Amino acid sequence: MSDLLKTPLFDAHVALGGKIVAFAGYELPVQYKNGALKEYTAVREGAAGIFDITHMGQVRVEGVEALKFLQYVTTNDVSKLVDGQVQYSALLNEQGTFIDDITTYKINNEAYYLCINAANRHKDVAHLQKEAANFDVIVSDESDETTLLALQGAKAQAVLQTLTDIDLEAVGYYKFSEGNILGQHGIISRTGYTGEDGFEIYIPNTVAVDVWNALLEQEAVPIGLAARDMLRTEMGYALYGHEISDSVTPVEAKLMWITKLDKGDFIGKAAVEARKSEGAKKRLIALKLIERGIPREHYKVFVNGIESGEVTSGMHSPMAGGVALAYVMPKHATEGDVSIEIRGKQVPAERTPLPFVRSNVKK
Amino acid sequence: MSIPADLKYTKEHEWVRIEGDIATFGVSDHAQEALGDIVFVELPEIGRTVGVAEAYAVVESVKAVSDIYAPVAGEIIEVNEALEGEPEKMNTEPYGAGWIAKVKMSGGSDELMSDDEYTTFLEE
């Protein structure tokens, strides 16, 4: 594991009984000593769960053409953002397929902050810096200096408020504020990947351990990667490498809502328009098993007895049972009897709206 | 780590309790801890015959799917249906309520370890 990176909280994870695995180039805890199910339950049932997601990357975009640049390299309409607002978006290539999905933070007209996936960081930064050559902007990779924590669950606001002078009540859904967190400058946004109310906290590495410990003292519950994946899958949130990748466009991935074809030119636009008019190659759907079983990634999906696609994320939801996100042929997205093949057996499933369980985000 | 003295163990971390020609199968405390939270158990059909080290059940934890292997050969005569509703019993009581199946033995196995041998095996 020598090539793997450690976050500033690595020793803290080990001390808490974290079972360390390799994930996106980092050594991260898949679970702590009480196990993933208890962690999941803590977040869903009212605690404040704390996640070390420092592996995610952060990129600052500054300059007089920052808006123009981001309109060109991201899919969503950045001109719609007000200062202090966050937007879910994506980076596409010229083929219209995903380089990454990202969040865009607007600090002001000439300064933005992007949060990107760990596994795509170097690819994203190289792409952004190459495109930046044509604009009056500076793209800086701040990932190595920044610790990112998520605090998610009904108690998140009360717990976090004890550490910061930012008035969290005033930070709305997909809004952020900059301020003082245990004496250091940081960013707090009301965003997350769990379907619960909560925050993501960007702080300098130097204060990471202090903030982590202070949150634990406020009875925040440490949550590993396994529970994080359960929580996001129950919401039907896309994960790069699963639902989205460089082989699908937003048309297939049900992400046209973040792809604004009417905002002017952007990388991948022509390809997305073409795909939209010729029709999706496959469609992402949500499935729930009718009988016992757990769908897993890459399990085959059959419709009317024909192999139609495969599961991209699947799990046992303590609340909803066996649930899956899957790609199927477009004609099977809404019609036909669906089953998922589990160890050679066809287990019947039904299409279901997302999320699989109720979301408690404060919109 | 609990390793009861009245059981035999395999290198795949299954345990077997042999009483006359009836053998009860389960997975060891070490195995359940390594698997993590068990959320699904696929039990074998009653009447099926299994060979030594043959996969006879499937256990799924939050993150992984694992085959469970028979420590000795025989015919499945009883399965722990309670695990279908409470698979977590394999985590909380691996040697008790977490048992998986009982077989009428058709032969033994040279590969089984005593509790002391299994303890040494785990340490290695």
Side-chain angles (χ1 to χ4, degrees):
Chain A
M1 309 237 289
S2 58
D3 291 342
L4 295 170
L5 302 169
K6 291 181 169 73
T7 79
L9 296 164
F10 179 81
D11 291 341
H13 299 317
V14 172
L16 288 162
K19 196 190 243 182
I20 304 297
V21 299
F23 183 80
Y26 282 80
E27 290 188 77
L28 288 166
V30 67
Q31 61 166 63
Y32 297 90
K33 62 176 184 303
N34 291 332
L37 273 183
K38 285 203 172 71
E39 294 168 18
Y40 159 91
T41 304
V43 175
R44 280 279 182 260
E45 295 188 354
I50 180 176
F51 307 67
D52 178 10
I53 50 173
T54 302
H55 56 290
M56 311 262 317
Q58 292 79 34
V59 175
R60 193 174 290 272
V61 177
E62 288 177 319
V64 292
E65 290 191 314
L67 172 60
K68 198 176 160 196
F69 170 69
L70 289 172
Q71 285 290 65
Y72 184 64
V73 295
T74 72
T75 56
N76 213 330
D77 188 352
V78 186
S79 73
K80 292 282 199 298
L81 286 175
V82 298
D83 293 2
Q85 190 175 6
V86 188
Q87 183 181 64
Y88 183 47
S89 191
L91 307 176
L92 302 183
N93 55 36
E94 292 290 355
Q95 290 71 48
T97 63
F98 290 92
I99 295 173
D100 203 359
D101 64 335
I102 67 168
T103 46
T104 304
Y105 289 62
K106 181 177 184 181
I107 298 165
N108 60 52
N109 275 328
E110 298 185 5
Y112 294 82
Y113 196 61
L114 311 179
C115 185
I116 62 178
N117 277 303
N120 296 331
R121 173 182 157 195
H122 297 293
K123 178 181 76 169
D124 291 1
V125 171
H127 169 73
L128 291 169
Q129 285 180 336
K130 176 171 157 277
E131 296 298 332
N134 303 318
F135 294 85
D136 189 356
V137 290
I138 295 167
V139 171
S140 332
D141 182 356
E142 297 188 353
S143 311
D144 288 339
E145 299 82 56
T146 310
T147 290
L148 178 54
L149 303 177
L151 190 68
Q152 303 277 302
K155 286 209 183 80
Q157 184 172 325
V159 166
L160 184 56
Q161 192 64 75
T162 62
L163 273 62
T164 181
D165 61 4
I166 296 171
D167 176 11
L168 296 177
E169 187 60 35
V171 179
Y173 184 64
Y174 265 67
K175 296 286 171 54
F176 71 95
S177 187
E178 295 185 76
N180 193 305
I181 304 158
L182 283 190
Q184 293 280 334
H185 182 82
I187 294 175
I188 295 176
S189 58
R190 194 182 290 268
T191 51
Y193 203 41
T194 62
E196 299 298 326
D197 184 33
F199 301 88
E200 289 173 315
I201 307 156
Y202 300 79
I203 44 176
N205 289 342
T206 48
V207 77
V209 172
D210 288 346
V211 170
W212 177 267
N213 287 336
L215 291 170
L216 291 184
E217 272 169 34
Q218 298 291 322
E219 295 181 352
V221 180
I223 312 292
L225 294 168
R228 178 170 163 83
D229 196 50
M230 293 174 71
L231 293 159
R232 77 94 194 163
T233 301
E234 281 189 336
M235 288 299 118
Y237 295 153
L239 175 60
Y240 197 91
H242 297 255
E243 288 71 38
I244 56 179
S245 69
D246 62 7
S247 66
V248 297
T249 77
V251 181
E252 282 82 26
K254 271 189 154 174
L255 286 174
M256 287 308 291
W257 65 276
I258 63 164
T259 307
K260 307 297 187 191
L261 297 173
D262 58 358
K263 70 163 179 169
D265 194 27
F266 62 90
I267 299 174
K269 181 185 173 186
V272 171
E273 280 175 334
R275 183 62 57 87
K276 204 181 160 201
S277 65
E278 79 203 16
K281 302 247 190 228
K282 53 187 182 179
R283 289 211 179 267
L284 189 66
I285 60 169
L287 295 171
K288 197 185 277 194
L289 288 184
I290 299 166
E291 293 173 10
R292 288 176 73 244
I294 304 179
R296 302 271 181 185
E297 189 183 3
H298 302 311
Y299 282 9
K300 289 173 182 169
V301 178
F302 286 73
V303 179
N304 296 335
I306 298 162
E307 188 180 332
S308 184
E310 69 172 35
V311 171
T312 53
S313 295
M315 66 173 291
H316 170 77
S317 161
M319 286 190 267
V323 296
L325 298 169
Y327 274 109
V328 293
M329 293 176 191
K331 63 180 176 183
H332 293 148
T334 54
E335 282 174 33
D337 291 334
V338 192
S339 59
I340 298 175
E341 187 175 273
I342 302 179
R343 295 184 282 280
K345 274 184 290 194
Q346 297 295 324
V347 181
E350 62 187 3
R351 295 173 191 79
T352 178
L354 288 173
F356 292 112
V357 307
R358 191 167 67 96
S359 167
N360 294 313
V361 297
K362 281 193 181 159
K363 290 204 181 184
Chain B
M1 189 73 55
S2 163
I3 304 176
D6 59 333
L7 306 177
K8 301 283 189 208
Y9 301 86
T10 70
K11 287 177 179 168
E12 300 285 350
H13 308 285
E14 283 96 13
W15 59 259
V16 56
R17 175 181 285 115
I18 296 171
E19 295 160 304
D21 63 349
I22 304 299
T24 306
F25 298 166
V27 303
S28 74
D29 196 17
H30 172 84
Q32 70 77 19
E33 196 171 306
L35 287 164
D37 293 315
I38 292 166
V39 292
F40 184 88
V41 181
E42 191 173 290
L43 298 165
E45 301 268 322
I46 289 172
R48 177 178 154 191
T49 54
V50 293
V52 177
E54 182 178 330
Y56 73 94
V58 177
V59 166
E60 299 199 39
S61 65
V62 169
K63 290 304 281 178
V65 183
S66 306
D67 283 324
I68 306 299
Y69 304 99
V72 296
E75 178 189 340
I76 307 278
I77 54 165
E78 196 179 340
V79 295
N80 186 1
E81 284 172 8
L83 292 180
E84 292 189 348
E86 295 180 296
E88 65 275 14
K89 290 285 185 203
M90 290 183 64
N91 290 119
T92 55
E93 299 175 59
Y95 301 112
W99 67 276
I100 300 171
K102 290 185 185 182
V103 303
K104 188 169 194 305
M105 288 169 62
S106 58
S109 167
D110 300 332
E111 301 286 311
L112 299 178
M113 290 179 274
S114 70
D115 58 321
D116 286 343
E117 288 164 336
Y118 184 58
T119 303
T120 308
F121 175 73
L122 285 180
E123 283 163 2
E124 277 168 0

